[in-house]
């Protein structure tokens, strides 16, 4: 059974950094586009990054560009999200998502076939 498990969330001060991990089991991540989506309390889901399968093309929305960096280690079946200069308004549950199709991950916040349960990131002093 395919499963994605996020880790690395926690409490960080404004301006700080965190690295999230998404470990896959039951599927081989190098065949999939992987994305990170966040959802803050009372707000809609927001995509924050994605990385393609074959050529590792990446995408970031303007809100995180230059501060967030997604990468993949296919040997470890893991995708990472390095988050720098975090802001209080980025407090949210961060989910990783996977699908064969780029548009279901990078063009949608709910279209991917596989989802983790999320990890909470709290940015606060």
């Amino acid at each position: 059974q395919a499963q994605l498990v996020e880790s690395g969330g926690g409490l960080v001060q404004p301006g700080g950094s965190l690295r999230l991990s998404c470990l896959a089991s039951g599927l081989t991540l190098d065949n999939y586009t992987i994305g990170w989506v966040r959802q803050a309390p009372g707000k809609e889901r927001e995509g924050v990054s994605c990385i393609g399968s074959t050529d590792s093309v990446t995408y970031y929305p303007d809100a995180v560009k230059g501060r967030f960096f997604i990468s993949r280690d296919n040997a470890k079946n893991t995708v990472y999200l390095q988050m720098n200069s975090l802001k209080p308004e980025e407090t949210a549950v961060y989910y990783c998502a996977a699908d064969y199709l780029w548009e279901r991950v990078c063009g949608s916040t709910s279209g991917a076939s596989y989802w983790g349960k999320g990890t909470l990131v709290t940015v606060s002093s």
Side-chain angles (χ1 to χ4, degrees), residues 43-61:
K43 295 188 177 180
E44 294 185 352
R45 286 184 176 181
E46 177 187 20
V48 296
S49 68
C50 57
I51 185 166
S53 57
T54 55
D55 52 9
S56 293
V57 171
T58 58
Y59 167 78
Y60 305 94

PDB file of all heavy atoms in Angstrom, residues 43-61:
ATOM      1  N   LYS A  43      -7.981  28.680   6.321  1.00  0.00           N
ATOM      2  CA  LYS A  43      -7.624  29.130   4.968  1.00  0.00           C
ATOM      3  C   LYS A  43      -7.634  27.959   3.988  1.00  0.00           C
ATOM      4  O   LYS A  43      -7.610  26.799   4.386  1.00  0.00           O
ATOM      5  CB  LYS A  43      -6.258  29.803   4.974  1.00  0.00           C
ATOM      6  CG  LYS A  43      -6.217  31.091   5.781  1.00  0.00           C
ATOM      7  CD  LYS A  43      -4.908  31.815   5.582  1.00  0.00           C
ATOM      8  CE  LYS A  43      -4.896  33.139   6.318  1.00  0.00           C
ATOM      9  NZ  LYS A  43      -3.613  33.870   6.125  1.00  0.00           N
ATOM     10  N   GLU A  44      -7.638  28.285   2.721  1.00  0.00           N
ATOM     11  CA  GLU A  44      -7.607  27.268   1.682  1.00  0.00           C
ATOM     12  C   GLU A  44      -6.194  26.705   1.534  1.00  0.00           C
ATOM     13  O   GLU A  44      -5.211  27.333   1.921  1.00  0.00           O
ATOM     14  CB  GLU A  44      -8.077  27.858   0.352  1.00  0.00           C
ATOM     15  CG  GLU A  44      -9.538  28.279   0.362  1.00  0.00           C
ATOM     16  CD  GLU A  44     -10.002  28.755  -0.998  1.00  0.00           C
ATOM     17  OE1 GLU A  44      -9.161  28.905  -1.896  1.00  0.00           O
ATOM     18  OE2 GLU A  44     -11.207  28.975  -1.161  1.00  0.00           O
ATOM     19  N   ARG A  45      -6.131  25.536   0.941  1.00  0.00           N
ATOM     20  CA  ARG A  45      -4.833  24.933   0.648  1.00  0.00           C
ATOM     21  C   ARG A  45      -4.059  25.804  -0.335  1.00  0.00           C
ATOM     22  O   ARG A  45      -4.633  26.462  -1.211  1.00  0.00           O
ATOM     23  CB  ARG A  45      -5.022  23.548   0.038  1.00  0.00           C
ATOM     24  CG  ARG A  45      -5.455  22.505   1.024  1.00  0.00           C
ATOM     25  CD  ARG A  45      -5.519  21.148   0.332  1.00  0.00           C
ATOM     26  NE  ARG A  45      -5.845  20.085   1.266  1.00  0.00           N
ATOM     27  CZ  ARG A  45      -5.935  18.816   0.932  1.00  0.00           C
ATOM     28  NH1 ARG A  45      -5.706  18.437  -0.311  1.00  0.00           N
ATOM     29  NH2 ARG A  45      -6.242  17.913   1.834  1.00  0.00           N
ATOM     30  N   GLU A  46      -2.754  25.788  -0.200  1.00  0.00           N
ATOM     31  CA  GLU A  46      -1.879  26.590  -1.052  1.00  0.00           C
ATOM     32  C   GLU A  46      -0.675  25.744  -1.439  1.00  0.00           C
ATOM     33  O   GLU A  46       0.017  25.211  -0.568  1.00  0.00           O
ATOM     34  CB  GLU A  46      -1.429  27.835  -0.284  1.00  0.00           C
ATOM     35  CG  GLU A  46      -0.458  28.715  -1.015  1.00  0.00           C
ATOM     36  CD  GLU A  46       0.077  29.826  -0.133  1.00  0.00           C
ATOM     37  OE1 GLU A  46       0.002  29.697   1.110  1.00  0.00           O
ATOM     38  OE2 GLU A  46       0.587  30.812  -0.671  1.00  0.00           O
ATOM     39  N   GLY A  47      -0.433  25.631  -2.732  1.00  0.00           N
ATOM     40  CA  GLY A  47       0.753  24.924  -3.176  1.00  0.00           C
ATOM     41  C   GLY A  47       1.986  25.762  -2.939  1.00  0.00           C
ATOM     42  O   GLY A  47       1.989  26.979  -3.188  1.00  0.00           O
ATOM     43  N   VAL A  48       3.067  25.136  -2.455  1.00  0.00           N
ATOM     44  CA  VAL A  48       4.288  25.894  -2.182  1.00  0.00           C
ATOM     45  C   VAL A  48       5.486  25.436  -2.995  1.00  0.00           C
ATOM     46  O   VAL A  48       6.497  26.133  -3.055  1.00  0.00           O
ATOM     47  CB  VAL A  48       4.639  25.892  -0.677  1.00  0.00           C
ATOM     48  CG1 VAL A  48       3.565  26.608   0.124  1.00  0.00           C
ATOM     49  CG2 VAL A  48       4.852  24.485  -0.145  1.00  0.00           C
ATOM     50  N   SER A  49       5.413  24.262  -3.594  1.00  0.00           N
ATOM     51  CA  SER A  49       6.518  23.835  -4.459  1.00  0.00           C
ATOM     52  C   SER A  49       6.163  22.503  -5.092  1.00  0.00           C
ATOM     53  O   SER A  49       5.320  21.763  -4.580  1.00  0.00           O
ATOM     54  CB  SER A  49       7.828  23.696  -3.677  1.00  0.00           C
ATOM     55  OG  SER A  49       7.753  22.623  -2.782  1.00  0.00           O
ATOM     56  N   CYS A  50       6.841  22.193  -6.190  1.00  0.00           N
ATOM     57  CA  CYS A  50       6.727  20.861  -6.757  1.00  0.00           C
ATOM     58  C   CYS A  50       7.961  20.571  -7.598  1.00  0.00           C
ATOM     59  O   CYS A  50       8.670  21.497  -8.021  1.00  0.00           O
ATOM     60  CB  CYS A  50       5.444  20.664  -7.546  1.00  0.00           C
ATOM     61  SG  CYS A  50       5.194  21.818  -8.879  1.00  0.00           S
ATOM     62  N   ILE A  51       8.209  19.285  -7.799  1.00  0.00           N
ATOM     63  CA  ILE A  51       9.384  18.843  -8.540  1.00  0.00           C
ATOM     64  C   ILE A  51       8.982  17.705  -9.448  1.00  0.00           C
ATOM     65  O   ILE A  51       8.280  16.770  -9.046  1.00  0.00           O
ATOM     66  CB  ILE A  51      10.517  18.449  -7.567  1.00  0.00           C
ATOM     67  CG1 ILE A  51      11.798  18.105  -8.328  1.00  0.00           C
ATOM     68  CG2 ILE A  51      10.098  17.308  -6.640  1.00  0.00           C
ATOM     69  CD1 ILE A  51      13.034  18.029  -7.426  1.00  0.00           C
ATOM     70  N   GLY A  52       9.417  17.792 -10.691  1.00  0.00           N
ATOM     71  CA  GLY A  52       9.052  16.798 -11.676  1.00  0.00           C
ATOM     72  C   GLY A  52       9.817  15.500 -11.509  1.00  0.00           C
ATOM     73  O   GLY A  52      10.824  15.429 -10.811  1.00  0.00           O
ATOM     74  N   SER A  53       9.348  14.472 -12.197  1.00  0.00           N
ATOM     75  CA  SER A  53       9.920  13.140 -12.038  1.00  0.00           C
ATOM     76  C   SER A  53      11.157  12.930 -12.902  1.00  0.00           C
ATOM     77  O   SER A  53      12.229  12.588 -12.399  1.00  0.00           O
ATOM     78  CB  SER A  53       8.878  12.073 -12.365  1.00  0.00           C
ATOM     79  OG  SER A  53       8.383  12.261 -13.688  1.00  0.00           O
ATOM     80  N   THR A  54      11.041  13.155 -14.196  1.00  0.00           N
ATOM     81  CA  THR A  54      12.121  12.764 -15.087  1.00  0.00           C
ATOM     82  C   THR A  54      13.266  13.762 -15.116  1.00  0.00           C
ATOM     83  O   THR A  54      14.428  13.376 -15.156  1.00  0.00           O
ATOM     84  CB  THR A  54      11.588  12.571 -16.513  1.00  0.00           C
ATOM     85  OG1 THR A  54      10.921  13.760 -16.926  1.00  0.00           O
ATOM     86  CG2 THR A  54      10.611  11.409 -16.552  1.00  0.00           C
ATOM     87  N   ASP A  55      12.955  15.045 -15.083  1.00  0.00           N
ATOM     88  CA  ASP A  55      14.017  16.042 -15.217  1.00  0.00           C
ATOM     89  C   ASP A  55      14.171  16.921 -13.993  1.00  0.00           C
ATOM     90  O   ASP A  55      14.961  17.856 -13.985  1.00  0.00           O
ATOM     91  CB  ASP A  55      13.771  16.932 -16.441  1.00  0.00           C
ATOM     92  CG  ASP A  55      12.375  17.535 -16.454  1.00  0.00           C
ATOM     93  OD1 ASP A  55      11.662  17.409 -15.432  1.00  0.00           O
ATOM     94  OD2 ASP A  55      11.994  18.107 -17.479  1.00  0.00           O
ATOM     95  N   SER A  56      13.390  16.633 -12.952  1.00  0.00           N
ATOM     96  CA  SER A  56      13.448  17.386 -11.691  1.00  0.00           C
ATOM     97  C   SER A  56      13.249  18.884 -11.878  1.00  0.00           C
ATOM     98  O   SER A  56      13.823  19.684 -11.146  1.00  0.00           O
ATOM     99  CB  SER A  56      14.764  17.114 -10.954  1.00  0.00           C
ATOM    100  OG  SER A  56      14.815  15.785 -10.508  1.00  0.00           O
ATOM    101  N   VAL A  57      12.452  19.248 -12.846  1.00  0.00           N
ATOM    102  CA  VAL A  57      12.067  20.657 -12.968  1.00  0.00           C
ATOM    103  C   VAL A  57      11.294  21.045 -11.719  1.00  0.00           C
ATOM    104  O   VAL A  57      10.492  20.259 -11.206  1.00  0.00           O
ATOM    105  CB  VAL A  57      11.196  20.866 -14.222  1.00  0.00           C
ATOM    106  CG1 VAL A  57      10.609  22.258 -14.238  1.00  0.00           C
ATOM    107  CG2 VAL A  57      12.017  20.615 -15.469  1.00  0.00           C
ATOM    108  N   THR A  58      11.549  22.247 -11.229  1.00  0.00           N
ATOM    109  CA  THR A  58      10.884  22.705 -10.012  1.00  0.00           C
ATOM    110  C   THR A  58       9.988  23.903 -10.291  1.00  0.00           C
ATOM    111  O   THR A  58      10.182  24.627 -11.277  1.00  0.00           O
ATOM    112  CB  THR A  58      11.906  23.080  -8.928  1.00  0.00           C
ATOM    113  OG1 THR A  58      12.773  24.097  -9.446  1.00  0.00           O
ATOM    114  CG2 THR A  58      12.722  21.880  -8.503  1.00  0.00           C
ATOM    115  N   TYR A  59       9.043  24.086  -9.403  1.00  0.00           N
ATOM    116  CA  TYR A  59       8.144  25.232  -9.487  1.00  0.00           C
ATOM    117  C   TYR A  59       7.905  25.771  -8.094  1.00  0.00           C
ATOM    118  O   TYR A  59       7.736  25.004  -7.142  1.00  0.00           O
ATOM    119  CB  TYR A  59       6.807  24.848 -10.119  1.00  0.00           C
ATOM    120  CG  TYR A  59       5.761  25.919  -9.929  1.00  0.00           C
ATOM    121  CD1 TYR A  59       5.766  27.067 -10.714  1.00  0.00           C
ATOM    122  CD2 TYR A  59       4.800  25.810  -8.927  1.00  0.00           C
ATOM    123  CE1 TYR A  59       4.835  28.069 -10.511  1.00  0.00           C
ATOM    124  CE2 TYR A  59       3.867  26.805  -8.717  1.00  0.00           C
ATOM    125  CZ  TYR A  59       3.885  27.931  -9.515  1.00  0.00           C
ATOM    126  OH  TYR A  59       2.960  28.917  -9.303  1.00  0.00           O
ATOM    127  N   TYR A  60       7.914  27.111  -7.995  1.00  0.00           N
ATOM    128  CA  TYR A  60       7.594  27.787  -6.740  1.00  0.00           C
ATOM    129  C   TYR A  60       6.687  28.971  -7.022  1.00  0.00           C
ATOM    130  O   TYR A  60       6.950  29.742  -7.946  1.00  0.00           O
ATOM    131  CB  TYR A  60       8.870  28.317  -6.071  1.00  0.00           C
ATOM    132  CG  TYR A  60       9.938  27.285  -5.845  1.00  0.00           C
ATOM    133  CD1 TYR A  60      10.952  27.088  -6.765  1.00  0.00           C
ATOM    134  CD2 TYR A  60       9.943  26.510  -4.683  1.00  0.00           C
ATOM    135  CE1 TYR A  60      11.938  26.146  -6.555  1.00  0.00           C
ATOM    136  CE2 TYR A  60      10.921  25.561  -4.460  1.00  0.00           C
ATOM    137  CZ  TYR A  60      11.913  25.385  -5.415  1.00  0.00           C
ATOM    138  OH  TYR A  60      12.897  24.445  -5.197  1.00  0.00           O
ATOM    139  N   PRO A  61       5.670  29.166  -6.236  1.00  0.00           N
ATOM    140  CA  PRO A  61       4.885  30.400  -6.380  1.00  0.00           C
ATOM    141  C   PRO A  61       5.692  31.577  -5.866  1.00  0.00           C
ATOM    142  O   PRO A  61       6.662  31.406  -5.108  1.00  0.00           O
ATOM    143  CB  PRO A  61       3.657  30.122  -5.507  1.00  0.00           C
ATOM    144  CG  PRO A  61       4.138  29.151  -4.487  1.00  0.00           C
ATOM    145  CD  PRO A  61       5.151  28.305  -5.175  1.00  0.00           C
TER     146      PRO A  61
END
